[in-house]
Amino acid sequence: MLCQFSFENFMSYRSETVFDFQAVNIPEFSDSLICRDGCSNLLPVAVIYGPNGGGKSNLLRALGCLICTVVKPIHDLEKNRLDFIVQQKISCEPFLFHPDAPNAPTSFQIYFRTGGYEYRYFLSVLREEIVAETLDRRKIGGKRPAHIFSREGKDIEVGAILRSENVNTNVNSKMPFLSFLAINYEIAVIREVQSWFESCIVRSYASPAAEMSVLFSDNAKFKQRILEFLNDCGIDVTDYRLDMQEKQIFLTREIDHHSYELPYSHESDGTKKLIALLPIILLALQEGRLVVIDELDAKLHPKLLRYVISLFKNTNVNRNGAQLLFTSHDMATMKNTVFRRDEIWFAALDADHSSEIYSLYDIRREDNERVNSTAAFDKQYMEGRYGADPYLQNILSGGDWS
């Protein structure tokens, strides 16, 4: 489970930027939180809004870049333990609107929980070379973290756990030491961290190719759940099959006691999006995975988007701590009946053309009070009160376009 992610000098983000999945102490939707004794409660869902070019997608790309940097070397050598479900390789590109930024490293830091531990992993990269790297862990409920390893340039220092394994510290400068250990050794703590990174699912529906990448299984129970979800979404399908010869998926419908098959390619864009999306959502819910999706709302009716969100917020469905992080432009779901204030985030450019993010909970009104939990979030956002659309008021008020 993701606790917190921070990064700096990545694409449109220059300064250190912190995204937090830890829930603040507010009453709304408290029964939807991921709770565990001895540690902070976590959010099951977070959404990022903001104007085009504000940095929404780049925040997700930063997280995807870290995941890809760690897992791709493992996957390329076929040493992965889980299927690596990432859309594409995401390059580590620095901020470009400052003379010093291209020569400075890009850094990532992530806190996550898996098993009985909370891990902190830090990675700093400059021109594909690993500048620094650290891995620590702390037992949930414990106080003192244990040092696994740290790296500064070519110098690698290992903690007690790795010293007992007599690991080699001579590693390629372009490969994370974490990846090197996962490829070459069978060490329990590294396996646990490796499996968490591999479990993360990254998808961008800004690319049409994402809708052509469909995960299917012959498992009867999995298939039945997919069909149930499709029917819950109003898509009346009784069966589906994958024809390997034609390399095509066919969906079956029962109409007037007759069965009809329709190729996947003939379905509507919205239906294809759901068929591509639901197996990923189901896998995440079953195994407690993190799902990161750019433009989740694209081609989806607002009611269907709300349905997907509700799956993660329903603890009877989401029993294993799955989390959903996505970007959206859909105002119909920016409601206090859908989200907590700390689940809504905004991305926008500052005066230096660098992106920044902040949550709705962080915003203060003119009287220095927080936005009320009963406020009309969508209406106030459209009025420009949340600051993530600096040009929106001018557009809506019919500004001078002459």
Side-chain angles (χ1 to χ4, degrees):
M1 289 167 279
L2 178 60
C3 304
Q4 188 183 88
F5 173 61
S6 61
F7 61 99
E8 64 179 310
N9 196 30
F10 180 84
M11 301 189 80
S12 62
Y13 291 85
R14 183 188 174 199
S15 303
E16 183 182 27
T17 299
V18 180
F19 172 81
D20 212 329
F21 248 122
Q22 296 173 101
V24 299
N25 187 22
I26 52 178
E28 57 257 39
F29 292 105
S30 58
D31 58 347
S32 72
L33 299 178
I34 301 170
C35 303
R36 182 167 181 175
D37 292 339
C39 52
S40 59
N41 297 334
L42 300 179
L43 302 171
V45 172
V47 58
I48 306 164
Y49 294 99
N52 292 329
K56 301 186 303 299
S57 297
N58 286 343
L59 171 60
L60 303 196
R61 288 189 185 109
L63 181 53
C65 180
L66 174 61
I67 294 167
C68 186
T69 301
V70 170
V71 178
K72 193 174 186 302
I74 304 170
H75 181 262
D76 288 347
L77 293 173
E78 299 182 350
K79 295 289 187 176
N80 47 303
R81 300 176 181 278
L82 302 172
D83 290 333
F84 182 36
I85 311 175
V86 70
Q87 172 92 7
Q88 60 189 25
K89 185 180 186 303
I90 302 172
S91 299
C92 189
E93 299 180 11
F95 184 75
L96 296 178
F97 294 154
H98 190 279
D100 298 334
N103 298 314
T106 298
S107 299
F108 309 93
Q109 182 163 263
I110 191 166
Y111 291 84
F112 61 92
R113 294 178 194 152
T114 184
Y117 294 91
E118 181 175 289
Y119 289 89
R120 180 186 75 92
Y121 179 65
F122 173 82
L123 184 71
S124 184
V125 182
L126 177 61
R127 300 186 188 93
E128 299 186 351
E129 302 265 334
I130 308 301
V131 175
E133 185 180 6
T134 303
L135 178 65
D136 299 311
R137 76 171 182 179
R138 179 181 65 87
K139 191 172 182 63
I140 292 176
K143 294 182 179 180
R144 296 185 61 184
H147 180 61
I148 309 301
F149 70 79
S150 60
R151 174 184 189 175
E152 289 288 337
K154 296 181 180 180
D155 298 327
I156 297 177
E157 177 188 337
V158 299
I161 294 174
L162 296 187
R163 278 200 299 272
S164 66
E165 299 286 344
N166 195 30
V167 299
N168 181 8
T169 57
N170 184 18
V171 58
N172 188 296
S173 61
K174 293 186 177 182
M175 178 178 285
F177 189 51
L178 173 58
S179 309
F180 173 81
L181 293 171
I183 291 168
N184 293 286
Y185 298 93
E186 287 290 331
I187 302 171
V189 61
I190 300 302
R191 286 200 306 269
E192 191 165 66
V193 175
Q194 173 192 354
S195 295
W196 186 85
F197 274 102
E198 291 176 351
S199 74
C200 299
I201 302 172
V202 181
R203 275 284 187 268
S204 173
Y205 287 104
S207 168
E211 291 168 14
M212 301 307 295
S213 177
V214 182
L215 300 176
F216 273 106
S217 170
D218 292 329
N219 180 282
K221 187 175 181 180
F222 187 90
K223 185 175 185 179
Q224 185 58 38
R225 290 288 303 278
I226 291 295
L227 293 172
E228 288 173 1
F229 282 173
L230 287 171
N231 281 272
D232 284 347
C233 294
I235 300 173
D236 190 16
V237 177
T238 57
D239 199 4
Y240 65 78
R241 68 180 179 88
L242 177 61
D243 190 315
M244 295 300 295
Q245 186 173 355
E246 295 189 29
K247 296 182 179 179
Q248 176 72 275
I249 298 167
F250 292 87
L251 281 75
T252 303
R253 291 173 171 82
E254 294 283 343
I255 302 174
D256 293 334
H257 306 292
H258 292 281
S259 295
Y260 300 92
E261 278 193 337
L262 192 67
Y264 176 79
S265 58
H266 289 191
E267 296 286 351
S268 71
D269 287 346
T271 298
K272 285 191 283 190
K273 170 77 173 284
L274 269 176
I275 293 170
L277 177 65
L278 284 177
I280 290 171
I281 298 300
L282 179 56
L283 179 65
L285 292 169
Q286 284 183 337
E287 299 183 0
R289 297 190 180 203
L290 168 67
V291 186
V292 180
I293 301 180
D294 194 16
E295 297 196 15
L296 175 60
D297 58 314
K299 301 177 183 177
L300 282 187
H301 190 281
K303 287 186 177 180
L304 296 184
L305 177 59
R306 186 177 295 204
Y307 172 74
V308 171
I309 295 167
S310 71
L311 294 175
F312 286 83
K313 293 175 73 76
N314 184 339
T315 52
N316 292 322
V317 176
N318 185 11
R319 300 176 181 177
N320 297 310
Q323 293 170 295
L324 173 65
L325 171 60
F326 69 99
T327 66
S328 178
H329 287 287
D330 182 70
M331 294 296 98
T333 49
M334 190 191 280
K335 305 282 188 183
N336 57 35
T337 55
V338 178
F339 294 114
R340 292 163 48 101
R341 285 167 289 172
D342 53 353
E343 291 175 332
I344 296 176
W345 289 71
F346 301 102
L349 295 179
D350 62 17
D352 296 322
H353 292 276
S354 174
S355 295
E356 60 179 356
I357 62 169
Y358 48 92
S359 75
L360 178 57
Y361 178 78
D362 293 330
I363 296 174
R364 297 278 186 169
R365 303 187 312 231
E366 292 182 358
D367 59 3
N368 204 37
E369 294 294 322
R370 300 189 189 276
V371 174
N372 198 294
S373 62
T374 59
F377 301 155
D378 56 339
K379 180 175 180 292
Q380 293 188 356
Y381 175 71
M382 294 294 283
E383 291 171 349
R385 298 193 195 182
Y386 300 160
D389 263 321
Y391 52 77
L392 191 58
Q393 279 185 304
N394 188 52
I395 294 173
L396 294 177
S397 62
D400 184 5
W401 290 81
S402 58

